């Protein structure tokens, strides 16, 4: 395998090599070649030598690290009623952000125009020029075709199927690369990067207005051939064949256990709620009906998750989204452990995600960085 500068950067960026000595050991390249590679990476600003030195066997070594402030990322996390927009450093730390109301049922053209306007404002407020960006990422609450970056028959995004999201946003960003991801996939990547980097298999169940699962295997998002992997919201659950879902089907999990379903049940009780966002606010305010109905939704989600867990035998299962809360976790836990074989859950950690709504933002940054600083991309950049 050729060890170009991009391959050396990959070792440093993933924390596998922290000194020149590590790079020598891991690549088998000569010290002279490695000096050249590191000089190229240092000159391009992609890595920095640490100010701190460590003494090993009497020799002082300077540590090497990926330069998280060499450029910035611009990300947008779209949910059914709101979109959060942020400028981040390359580690995913938020430099400036804003949230706008933009119901997805207004259609992609209008929603993306509003997002583009907010992006421009957040860029300006953070003193960021489009030329300071290494890339941009946007997440959608629906499946995204991995080949084209376009929404792929999204059940809760009416009018978005096949829409050219990348082209729409790129027009206002001076050609900065734009990536599109499913929101649960992005949140799973964000949590993985922040707290579970050593974990080989992680799932994040996002329960907001809809329900979706992001899967990270060996540090990579697993999206499936059409971007539909983990879209568990439209699995039929036998107990409620009559419940009509937004996808047009009947008896879907999302029809009985999503934030939208809980909001409808709350409204019937006289508590006003329209979407996952509202249910989340009621849960935080300690509303007892919201807590009881969310726990009940959790039991139904846990029934479907038992199949997911048997299929993947994951090390970590996290719960995220607007409804992520103690009642949701307890409902999922109850059904999941009751219905799974002990072997499938023996070494599994099930808990709430630790980043909350920052998970999607961190995951989108990670996606942009993985794309722009992959070994191949960096070898191409530094060769030209
Ligand atoms: Zn459905």
């Amino acid at each position: 395998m050729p060890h170009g500068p991009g391959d050396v950067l990959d070792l440093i960026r993933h924390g596998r090599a922290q000194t020149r000595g590590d790079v020598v050991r891991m690549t088998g390249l000569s010290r002279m070649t490695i000096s050249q590679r590191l000089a190229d990476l240092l000159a391009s600003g992609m890595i920095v030598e640490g100010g701190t030195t460590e003494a090993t066997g009497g020799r002082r070594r300077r540590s090497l690290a990926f330069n998280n402030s060499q450029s910035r990322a611009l990300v947008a996390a779209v949910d059914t009623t709101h979109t959060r927009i942020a400028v981040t450093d390359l580690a995913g730390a938020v430099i400036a952000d804003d949230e706008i109301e933009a119901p997805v049922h207004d259609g992609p053209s209008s929603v993306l125009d509003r997002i583009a306007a907010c992006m421009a404002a957040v860029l300006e407020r953070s003193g960021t020029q489009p030329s300071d960006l290494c890339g941009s990422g946007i997440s959608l609450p629906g499946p995204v075709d991995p080949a084209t970056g376009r929404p792929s028959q999204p059940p809760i995004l009416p009018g978005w199927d096949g829409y050219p999201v990348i082209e729409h946003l790129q027009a206002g960003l001076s050609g900065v690369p734009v990536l599109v991801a499913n929101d649960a996939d992005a949140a799973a990547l964000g949590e993985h990067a922040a707290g579970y980097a050593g974990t080989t298999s992680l799932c994040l169940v996002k329960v907001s207005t809809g329900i979706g699962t992001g899967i990270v295997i060996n540090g990579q998002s697993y999206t499936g051939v059409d971007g539909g992997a983990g879209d568990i919201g439209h699995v039929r659950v036998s107990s409620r064949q009559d419940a009509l879902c937004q996808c047009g089907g009947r008896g879907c999990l999302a029809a009985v256990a999503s934030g939208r379903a809980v909001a409808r049940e709350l409204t019937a009780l006289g508590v006003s709620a329209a979407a996952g966002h509202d249910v989340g606010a009621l849960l935080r305010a300690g509303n007892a009906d919201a807590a009881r109905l969310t726990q009940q939704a959790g039991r139904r989600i846990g029934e479907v998750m038992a199949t997911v867990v048997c299929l993947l035998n994951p090390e970590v299962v996290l719960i995220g989204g607007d409804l992520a809360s103690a009642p949701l976790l307890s409902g999922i836990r109850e059904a999941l452990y009751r219905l799974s074989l002990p072997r499938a859950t023996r070494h599994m950690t099930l808990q709430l995600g630790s980043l909350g709504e920052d998970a999607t933002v961190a995951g989108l940054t990670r996606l942009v960085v993985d794309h722009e600083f992959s070994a191949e991309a960096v070898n191409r950049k530094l060769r030209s």
Side-chain angles (χ1 to χ4, degrees):
M1 171 193 163
H3 289 291
D7 302 276
V8 173
L9 180 70
D10 216 48
L11 293 173
I12 296 168
R13 191 163 68 83
H14 290 103
R16 292 196 285 271
Q18 282 155 5
T19 62
R20 277 168 197 260
D22 292 343
V23 180
V24 171
R25 261 195 313 284
M26 299 191 76
T27 60
L29 294 175
S30 73
R31 282 193 174 267
M32 203 204 275
T33 307
I34 285 168
S35 287
Q36 186 56 52
R37 300 274 186 272
L38 292 176
D40 290 347
L41 292 170
L42 284 163
S44 69
M46 290 186 197
I47 61 169
V48 284
E49 279 192 299
T52 54
T53 56
E54 59 178 271
T56 314
R59 289 173 63 184
R60 289 195 160 271
R61 293 178 181 177
R62 302 198 70 179
S63 63
L64 301 167
F66 181 64
N67 181 3
N68 284 314
S69 25
Q70 61 187 294
S71 57
R72 292 176 173 181
L74 172 65
V75 303
V78 178
D79 219 322
T80 48
T81 53
H82 295 73
T83 293
R84 183 162 172 230
I85 286 137
V87 170
T88 69
D89 73 7
L90 300 191
V94 173
I95 294 165
D97 68 340
D98 201 359
E99 189 176 83
I100 52 167
E101 245 186 79
V104 290
H105 57 66
D106 288 352
S109 179
S110 149
V111 169
L112 292 172
D113 277 347
R114 271 176 272 172
I115 289 173
C118 183
M119 280 177 157
V122 174
L123 281 175
E124 189 175 338
R125 190 147 50 79
S126 62
T128 310
Q129 303 294 325
S131 58
D132 301 327
L133 297 172
C134 73
S136 178
I138 177 169
S139 65
L140 301 175
V144 173
D145 183 333
T148 62
R150 296 184 179 197
S152 175
Q153 303 184 352
I156 61 173
L157 296 171
W160 288 67
D161 185 26
Y163 189 84
V165 175
I166 294 174
E167 292 81 348
H168 191 125
L169 287 179
Q170 225 160 22
L173 288 173
S174 317
V176 167
V178 176
L179 299 174
V180 189
N182 166 265
D183 60 353
D185 288 345
L189 265 184
E191 292 280 359
H192 184 268
Y196 302 91
T199 301
T200 54
S201 50
L202 176 148
C203 296
L204 180 138
V205 189
K206 182 173 187 231
V207 188
S208 288
T209 297
I211 303 171
T213 306
I215 304 164
V216 178
I217 306 280
N218 297 329
Q220 305 278 329
S221 228
Y222 177 75
T223 59
V225 64
D226 288 308
D231 195 12
I232 62 168
H234 306 282
V235 169
R236 303 289 195 273
V237 286
S238 54
S239 59
R240 290 286 309 276
Q241 299 287 1
D242 56 317
L244 181 64
C245 182
Q246 263 184 300
C247 72
R250 283 185 186 275
C252 295
L253 178 64
V256 296
S258 63
R260 186 168 176 265
V262 172
R264 205 178 43 229
E265 289 171 313
L266 282 167
T267 305
L269 293 176
V271 183
S272 169
H277 210 72
D278 307 324
V279 179
L282 287 165
L283 284 167
R284 283 191 298 278
N287 183 286
D289 287 322
R292 178 177 54 80
L293 292 169
T294 296
Q295 184 170 3
Q296 190 177 307
R299 289 190 197 100
R300 285 168 170 157
I301 295 166
E303 289 170 15
V304 173
M305 283 306 293
T307 304
V308 172
V309 160
C310 288
L311 186 70
L312 294 175
N313 188 202
E315 202 175 330
V316 175
V317 175
L318 300 175
I319 312 300
D322 289 328
L323 272 65
S325 59
L328 185 70
L329 178 64
S330 100
I332 291 177
R333 186 185 296 279
E334 183 192 317
L336 178 54
Y337 282 87
R338 180 166 49 81
L339 297 171
S340 303
L341 285 174
R343 181 170 28 91
T345 52
R346 188 169 45 171
H347 295 121
M348 187 184 83
T349 300
L350 171 67
Q351 60 195 29
L352 297 176
S354 56
L355 297 182
E357 60 180 22
D358 284 342
T360 314
V361 165
L364 284 169
T365 302
R366 179 63 181 227
L367 207 64
V368 167
V369 172
D370 279 348
H371 186 260
E372 292 306 309
F373 294 93
S374 69
E376 305 78 58
V378 170
N379 285 339
R380 237 185 352 258
K381 248 179 253 176
L382 293 187
R383 240 173 239 141
S384 56

